Amino acid sequence: MEKRFLYGDAGAISAEYALITLAGAAIAGVIYLIVTSDWAAGLLRGLIERALSVGT
């Protein structure tokens, strides 16, 4: 009788969580860079000024 070795996926869940965490951190970093940029600050400032000047 031939012996067969079965390889489990015991570490697969941990690896998936690690990749999801890494991807989440990367996305958060990109969002942080966009929000703290001069372009986003100007856009937000213009939006607030436009909202405050409505009806005046």
Side-chain angles (χ1 to χ4, degrees), residues 4-37:
R4 293 185 182 184
F5 295 100
L6 299 176
Y7 297 102
D9 57 354
I13 300 292
S14 297
E16 290 170 2
Y17 282 130
L19 288 175
I20 290 171
T21 302
L22 182 64
I27 291 170
V30 169
I31 290 172
Y32 175 78
L33 288 175
I34 290 172
V35 169
T36 58
S37 69

